[in-house]
Amino acid sequence: MILLNPDKHSRQYPDERSREVMLRTIEFFETRGKKRLKEADHERVWYRDFLDFVGAEELFATMSTPAGYGAADSRWDTWRICEFAEILGFYGLQYWYTWQVSVLGLGPIWMSANEEQKTRAAELLQQGEIFAFGLSEQHHGADVYSTSMKLTPRDDGTYVANGEKYYIGNANEARMVSVFAKLEGTEDYVFFVADSQHEKFDVIKNVCNSQNYVANFALRDYPIAEADILHRGQDAWNAALNTVNIGKFNLGWASIGICTHALYEAITHAANRQLYGMYVTDFSHVQQMFVDAYTRLVAMKLVALRAADYMRSASPQDRRYLLYNPVVKMKVTTQGEDVINSMWDAIAARGFEKDTYFEAAARDIRALPKLEGTVHVNIALIVKFMPNFFFDHAEYPLVERRDDPNNDAFLFDQGPARGLSKIRFHDPDAIFDHFDLPNVRLFKEQIAVFKELLMTAPPDEEQRKDVDLLMAAGEIFVCIVYGQLMLENARIYEIEEPLIDQIFDFMIRDLSKHALTLYGKASTSETQMDCCLRMIRKPAVDRERYEKVWKEVHALNGAYEMKP
């Protein structure tokens, strides 16, 4: 089974340290037990015990120090980073979050040519310290063009920093905060490092009511030396966006971990609860809810794993990951909401009970698509790739499964964050043609009609200014890319055909829903509306296939329960 089960975590690893990190992390949480974790969540206790464990075991040092700066077994290995993020999400978003924002804080450091700060970061990682990414501001949010943090030169060759940052995780304790600012007088972008423990670093408040510390902080005449500067000008801008490429990819993996734990708990509850003389899972509508949740979750993991393959295989000549990466950030996280919603409808009031994992999952799953305006920002980014994805293909070597123990050095040397519309892709038709399954064939018909719309009735000049319309079209495009990545990995991981075809059951319904949304937009033309209606399909009905998948889901009853 492709889903994580901590009780049966017998996965093969290419090296002993990777195996040790995963198993020790699982052991930490299982030893503490669900009751203790839930109490800490409800009382919003700062997770000092977890951070002490991370420091003692040097987990963050192993996982997030590029080769050459730490221990011999330290490397930036996206495959094992994904698994680590999934495990942390499985036990609680707060534990994933402190890891996630440390990854973001480290991005500009590892991307810089400042060897002094890179050496310092490696040393602090080994000491168990955490990091922060000072990008967002309260009045600008994701609009980093408008950052108001200022770095002002002084006559002696040093600088002072002034301004506030908002929504900055770990900023209460981070010993290195990568701060994005503008240089006073030139308005050039700049990245520098600050220490949250410095007297001129004012932690104003935690803006969230949670275990996480999500800070509003201010720098008030904070002294900065030349040695503290990481990037200037265009390099600083590139570092900001390229760090997001690396770090926010983990949003999808938090969703996968959360949904997996919630699935075990929900199916075990429903399969053992009786209503009206029947088990809850005997009701046909409940079975459909769980089949949809399960198939969506399997697809989430297949897509995220495949996107990671492209990240690890990227180069200046192959930047396809710049499409697949935001698909994970946007689509996998929104699918996570759908998974939780389906199961919540099945278990009803149980999902509110304070002693369940599900109670926290239902709350926390909402955060992931919304961090930094993830959905809207990423769809706006994704639509830039649409013409070349469909109509201007290139030949590339086949990207294999990338679970090898390599350091992903290119991620810290991604180059300029521009030229997205020039990136070319391989022909996606090949992977769809590989699977002769009823629902895959129907999905191909939907793709053909969407391509027809783009060729015969593309958005005119006025429509291209209509963000609402482009978002709706973007949702359809994302569905197609999602299907491509899922099928590529279904072949690699040898997923059985009934499960693949059942996955496309919900994908056909989703694409049909987005087509109807596009049809209803105020500015769609008659030709576009006709194409939208012709994109609507009913999935192929196959009772034997459905029952086989339902048995897979029902077999998860009692498969895992966190230690009390």
Side-chain angles (χ1 to χ4, degrees):
M1 184 179 71
I2 197 169
L3 299 183
L4 169 68
N5 184 341
D7 285 347
K8 300 177 181 177
H9 198 69
S10 56
R11 190 167 298 171
Q12 296 297 313
Y13 291 98
D15 59 273
E16 183 56 29
R17 178 57 176 161
S18 295
R19 179 177 179 275
E20 182 182 60
V21 166
M22 307 309 166
L23 294 182
R24 291 301 303 274
T25 302
I26 289 170
E27 180 186 26
F28 169 84
F29 289 111
E30 294 291 340
T31 298
R32 272 146 183 77
K34 183 164 74 171
K35 183 175 183 291
R36 187 170 166 184
L37 290 184
K38 291 294 297 182
E39 288 174 349
D41 177 36
H42 291 151
E43 298 302 318
R44 302 177 301 281
V45 177
W46 175 249
Y47 27 74
R48 171 48 53 199
D49 59 343
F50 174 65
L51 294 178
D52 288 345
F53 162 72
V54 166
E57 297 289 334
E58 297 186 1
L59 298 188
F60 288 5
T62 295
M63 299 297 294
S64 52
T65 308
Y69 289 93
D73 51 17
S74 296
R75 62 181 183 274
W76 198 278
D77 180 332
T78 300
W79 183 81
R80 70 177 185 178
I81 283 172
C82 292
E83 177 153 322
F84 187 59
E86 179 184 16
I87 291 170
L88 295 180
F90 187 95
Y91 288 105
L93 185 67
Q94 57 271 46
Y95 306 105
W96 168 88
Y97 183 75
T98 192
W99 150 257
Q100 154 76 3
V101 291
S102 288
V103 167
L104 288 167
L106 287 162
I109 298 170
W110 298 136
M111 290 177 189
S112 77
N114 190 326
E115 292 299 323
E116 178 182 337
Q117 297 299 337
K118 290 158 90 168
T119 300
R120 180 170 172 245
E123 291 172 350
L124 289 172
L125 279 165
Q126 289 184 318
Q127 295 167 22
E129 300 291 350
I130 53 178
F131 297 74
F133 187 51
L135 189 68
S136 297
E137 297 179 1
Q138 183 175 12
H139 300 296
H140 308 302
D143 178 15
V144 293
Y145 290 100
S146 303
T147 188
S148 57
M149 175 71 74
K150 296 293 184 183
L151 189 64
T152 304
R154 298 198 296 191
D155 293 340
D156 62 359
T158 64
Y159 306 82
V160 290
N162 284 282
E164 292 189 24
K165 292 290 182 179
Y166 199 82
Y167 222 75
I168 311 300
N170 285 354
N172 58 323
E173 288 197 3
R175 298 309 306 269
M176 295 182 80
V177 183
S178 298
V179 182
F180 187 73
K182 287 182 178 178
L183 192 61
E184 188 75 63
T186 68
E187 294 301 291
D188 283 345
Y189 296 113
V190 61
F191 252 121
F192 58 86
V193 289
D195 184 345
S196 71
Q197 305 308 297
H198 194 283
E199 63 179 357
K200 298 294 186 179
F201 192 108
D202 181 10
V203 180
I204 298 169
K205 65 178 179 178
N206 185 352
V207 303
C208 292
N209 185 27
S210 71
Q211 281 187 267
N212 303 314
Y213 203 104
V214 188
N216 172 202
F217 75 80
L219 301 184
R220 307 189 192 281
D221 288 332
Y222 188 107
I224 295 294
E226 190 67 35
D228 299 322
I229 294 179
L230 300 171
H231 302 275
R232 296 173 182 272
Q234 188 63 43
D235 285 345
W237 177 258
N238 292 337
L241 298 188
N242 290 338
T243 293
V244 169
N245 290 339
I246 298 173
K248 298 228 167 176
F249 180 77
N250 286 330
L251 293 166
W253 285 98
S255 293
I256 293 164
I258 290 170
C259 290
T260 304
H261 195 155
L263 174 61
Y264 288 124
E265 190 177 68
I267 189 66
T268 299
H269 168 75
N272 291 280
R273 178 173 171 79
Q274 288 191 331
L275 292 173
Y276 311 111
M278 301 169 63
Y279 287 105
V280 171
T281 48
D282 291 335
F283 291 96
S284 60
H285 69 293
V286 172
Q287 293 178 6
Q288 182 68 63
M289 291 169 187
F290 275 111
V291 167
D292 274 359
Y294 176 70
T295 51
R296 287 184 190 277
L297 178 53
V298 170
M300 287 163 62
K301 189 158 186 181
L302 289 171
V303 168
L305 281 168
R306 190 58 179 150
D309 292 340
Y310 283 97
M311 287 179 67
R312 301 198 74 192
S313 302
S315 68
Q317 294 75 40
D318 183 358
R319 301 171 72 205
R320 289 174 288 175
Y321 76 103
L322 291 174
L323 167 61
Y324 304 143
N325 181 296
V327 166
V328 171
K329 290 187 287 183
M330 171 261 166
K331 184 70 172 178
V332 171
T333 57
T334 53
Q335 286 288 287
E337 288 190 284
D338 288 343
V339 170
I340 294 296
N341 288 343
S342 291
M343 295 189 295
W344 205 351
D345 284 341
I347 67 172
R350 176 67 173 164
F352 291 98
E353 294 184 20
K354 68 179 183 179
D355 61 341
T356 65
Y357 175 86
F358 201 98
E359 173 239 4
R363 175 196 69 209
D364 292 339
I365 202 70
R366 314 292 164 197
L368 294 159
K370 298 168 181 64
L371 292 175
E372 301 287 355
T374 296
V375 172
H376 308 102
V377 170
N378 283 290
I379 289 185
L381 172 67
I382 284 165
V383 295
K384 296 179 181 180
F385 300 101
M386 200 184 308
N388 283 357
F389 181 87
F390 287 117
F391 304 119
D392 190 9
H393 301 135
E395 295 291 332
Y396 292 98
L398 179 66
V399 172
E400 305 286 353
R401 173 176 171 173
R402 292 296 311 275
D403 54 3
D404 45 292
N406 283 329
N407 183 64
D408 299 334
F410 174 76
L411 296 179
F412 300 107
D413 189 22
Q414 296 176 55
R418 60 175 183 265
L420 302 186
S421 62
K422 297 179 181 179
I423 296 172
R424 297 170 68 192
F425 298 85
H426 61 289
D427 188 346
D429 289 348
I431 192 61
F432 287 101
D433 291 343
H434 180 78
F435 291 90
D436 187 20
L437 297 171
N439 281 326
V440 176
R441 290 196 298 268
L442 285 168
F443 195 76
K444 286 168 59 180
E445 292 177 10
Q446 292 177 301
I447 296 173
V449 178
F450 186 61
K451 289 173 67 175
E452 178 187 335
L453 185 155
L454 295 177
M455 289 187 292
T456 62
D460 59 28
E461 184 176 352
E462 195 62 31
Q463 286 178 323
R464 286 195 291 273
K465 300 174 185 176
D466 184 348
V467 177
D468 188 40
L469 181 138
L470 291 179
M471 290 289 175
E475 289 277 13
I476 297 173
F477 177 45
V478 170
C479 276
I480 294 167
V481 178
Y482 200 80
Q484 171 218 321
L485 293 174
M486 195 283 295
L487 283 179
E488 289 183 6
N489 240 7
R491 180 167 62 179
I492 290 171
Y493 283 86
E494 299 180 342
I495 304 299
E496 293 186 356
E497 289 190 345
L499 179 53
I500 297 171
D501 211 39
Q502 192 62 43
I503 286 171
F504 275 89
D505 181 284
F506 82 73
M507 292 191 65
I508 289 167
R509 287 183 275 130
D510 284 0
L511 198 151
S512 298
K513 178 184 70 175
H514 295 312
L516 185 59
T517 299
L518 181 59
Y519 173 91
K521 294 302 177 186
S523 63
T524 46
S525 68
E526 290 294 330
T527 304
Q528 290 167 339
M529 291 164 63
D530 174 68
C531 287
C532 289
L533 290 179
R534 288 191 289 115
M535 268 187 271
I536 297 174
R537 293 285 190 278
K538 177 181 177 178
V541 177
D542 185 330
R543 196 66 199 174
E544 183 179 350
R545 177 200 72 214
Y546 177 85
E547 290 292 343
K548 187 177 188 306
V549 175
W550 164 240
K551 287 178 181 178
E552 285 185 38
V553 185
H554 194 266
L556 299 178
N557 171 23
Y560 167 80
E561 185 173 0
M562 188 175 178
K563 292 179 175 60

